[in-house]
Amino acid sequence: MTMRSNVPGPIPLLCRVLSLSMILLIGSPVQGQPSLARASSQVQDRVVKIYGAGGVGGLDAYQSGFIVSSIGHVATAWSSVLDVDPIVVLNDGRRFESKVVGFEPSLELAVLKLDVSDLPYFEVPAGTTEAPIARWGDPVLAVSNLFNIATGNEPESVMLGRIAARSQLDARRGTFETAYQGEVWLLDLVANNPGAAGGALVDLQGRLVGMLGKELRDRRTGVWLNYAIPSDVLRAPIGDIIAGRKTVAPVEQDPLLAREKSHNANTLGFQLIPDVLETTPVYVDTVSVNEPASRADLRPDDLILLVNGRRVPHQRAFRDQLRRIDRRDDAILTVQRDNEILELTIRP
C-alpha cells in the first residue's frame, strides 16, 4: 500500500520514470540480470491505448489495455470508458474501432475485439504452487498510458517497482469503492494513476504478471492502494470470453416479441430513472411492493449490468433485451449494488 497526497501524481511519477531512465542509460545490467530496456521495449507492441466515454464530471475518457490474442482480443479494466464502443490505438499508431465482446463485472475485467490479425500478444499464464507467476519482492514493470501522455505511436509509460504482497482485497471491503473482492498484487510503486487501469504488469523477462487496477482510495484516510489483478485469476475468464463460452453480445437471432408477449420494466415491477441521455445508465428508480422485482430483492439505486447474461450499457439496450424474453419466462438480472455484484432471478 502506498501513501500519496491529494496533489495529482506527476512528482512521484516523474521520480519513478527518471529512476528507470537512469537505469536504462547507465549501461549494461548486472551480469545475470535481465535488461530493463529490453523488457520494456518488447512489451510496448502488446499494450494499447483505449479511448471512450468520459471527459465530463471528472471521469477520464481514456485507459489502457493489453493484447491477449493474435486476432485482436484486448483485455482491459471494465469502467465507464467502455460505455460506448471504444477506439483502440496500437503501439504503431494504428487506430481501430472495437466492440466489447465479454466482461466479468466481479473481476472488473472486459475483453474487446479489434478487426485485425497477426498481432503480437501476451500469453496469460496460470502458474502453479511450485512455480507461481511471481513472488513477494519480485521486481516488476507497470506499462500503461498514464495521464494520456501517449496518444499515437508514442511508447507507453513504464514504471519500475516491486511486488509488496499478494492479498485478498475483500479484507478491505467497505473501505475501498470497488466491486472486485478477490486476490491482488499489492505494488510498491505509484502505478494506479489516471489512464493506468487495464495496463500490463510484467516481470523483467516481459512476461505478463497481472492487469493494473483502477485508482482506489480509502474513503476514510485518503490512502491510495496500488494494485494489479494477478494473471492466474484472469486466465480462465479471458479464455472463456475468447472461446465464446461467455459473451455479453446481444443475440440478434433471438426475435423481438410482440410487446404484449414480452417483458418490460412494468411487468417486472420496477421503474428506471428518467431516460434523458443517449446512453442513460440502467439505474433502478423505484420498486413496487409485492411485485416480481421486489420478491427477487431488486432495490432502488441498483445498476443493472446484464440481462440473461447480455450486456445492457444503457436503457435502450435494456428495453431491447427485455423485448426478446417471453413474459412467461424468468429474467435474470446482474446488478451492481454499492460495491457488490449480485445476480437476481425475477420470476413472473
Side-chain angles (χ1 to χ4, degrees):
M1 185 178 299
T2 304
M3 297 284 292
R4 84 178 182 189
S5 70
N6 289 329
V7 178
I11 293 177
L13 171 62
L14 181 61
C15 293
R16 290 286 183 179
V17 173
L18 288 176
S19 298
L20 177 56
S21 300
M22 292 176 65
I23 293 173
L24 298 180
L25 292 172
I26 285 174
S28 302
V30 177
Q31 186 173 4
Q33 293 294 320
S35 164
L36 294 180
R38 184 169 61 252
S40 171
S41 62
Q42 72 183 17
V43 303
Q44 288 287 344
D45 58 1
R46 289 174 273 173
V47 181
V48 303
K49 306 105 177 175
I50 298 174
Y51 298 92
V56 295
L59 296 174
D60 296 320
Y62 60 93
Q63 60 186 52
S64 305
F66 53 93
I67 303 169
V68 291
S69 83
S70 64
I71 56 174
H73 290 95
V74 173
T76 187
W78 169 55
S79 75
S80 59
V81 173
L82 308 183
D83 285 349
V84 297
D85 292 333
I87 299 295
V88 174
V89 182
L90 303 186
N91 181 57
D92 58 13
R94 286 183 291 166
R95 305 170 69 88
F96 293 90
E97 295 181 353
S98 69
K99 295 285 186 182
V100 178
V101 295
F103 81 131
E104 179 52 67
S106 62
L107 294 177
E108 298 198 320
L109 165 72
V111 176
L112 313 179
K113 180 66 173 67
L114 317 180
D115 186 13
V116 66
S117 58
D118 298 324
L119 292 178
Y121 65 95
F122 283 110
E123 297 282 353
V124 184
T128 64
T129 303
E130 296 75 22
I133 55 176
R135 300 177 186 273
W136 171 83
D138 283 355
V140 286
L141 301 177
V143 187
S144 65
N145 187 21
L146 288 177
F147 301 109
N148 198 27
I149 292 173
T151 59
N153 62 356
E154 305 90 350
E156 305 262 2
S157 300
V158 180
M159 302 175 68
L160 172 66
R162 291 186 179 273
I163 291 176
R166 180 160 176 158
S167 177
Q168 287 287 134
L169 195 59
D170 62 4
R172 299 163 179 81
R173 184 174 178 180
T175 302
F176 295 101
E177 295 181 347
T178 175
Y180 180 58
Q181 306 293 331
E183 290 190 321
V184 294
W185 297 120
L186 300 180
L187 304 177
D188 183 19
L189 71 157
V190 185
N192 299 91
N193 285 293
L201 186 73
V202 302
D203 63 17
L204 298 193
Q205 287 75 38
R207 295 174 299 204
L208 185 70
V209 173
M211 179 181 75
L212 296 176
K214 305 174 185 178
E215 290 186 276
L216 207 58
R217 183 173 65 172
D218 187 317
R219 291 175 293 179
R220 296 171 300 181
T221 66
V223 173
W224 258 262
L225 184 72
N226 291 283
Y227 73 102
I229 301 177
S231 63
D232 53 349
V233 174
L234 301 172
R235 178 181 170 87
I238 289 176
D240 287 342
I241 293 170
I242 292 176
R245 292 186 292 269
K246 184 167 186 177
T247 178
V248 296
V251 181
E252 298 299 338
Q253 60 266 33
D254 287 353
L256 285 173
L257 303 176
R259 295 187 185 278
E260 66 273 12
K261 294 183 179 180
S262 65
H263 276 303
N264 58 58
N266 287 332
T267 65
L268 298 175
F270 65 94
Q271 296 291 326
L272 300 176
I273 62 172
D275 186 5
V276 295
L277 302 172
E278 184 177 352
T279 57
T280 303
V282 194
Y283 276 104
V284 176
D285 189 14
T286 61
V287 178
S288 301
V289 178
N290 297 325
E291 292 290 338
S294 65
R295 292 195 293 271
D297 195 32
L298 188 69
R299 302 179 187 178
D301 297 328
D302 283 352
L303 173 62
I304 300 174
L305 306 172
L306 306 173
V307 176
N308 285 8
R310 305 295 170 180
R311 180 182 181 229
V312 285
H314 44 70
Q315 293 194 19
R316 186 177 68 256
F318 175 73
R319 291 190 294 270
D320 178 83
Q321 184 59 33
L322 289 185
R323 282 284 306 276
R324 301 174 190 274
I325 303 174
D326 191 290
R327 192 172 290 193
R328 297 167 295 181
D329 295 337
D330 296 346
I332 302 173
L333 307 184
T334 301
V335 305
Q336 180 171 346
R337 179 179 299 161
D338 296 327
N339 296 329
E340 293 185 283
I341 302 296
L342 305 171
E343 187 174 278
L344 308 177
T345 301
I346 302 182
R347 296 182 170 87

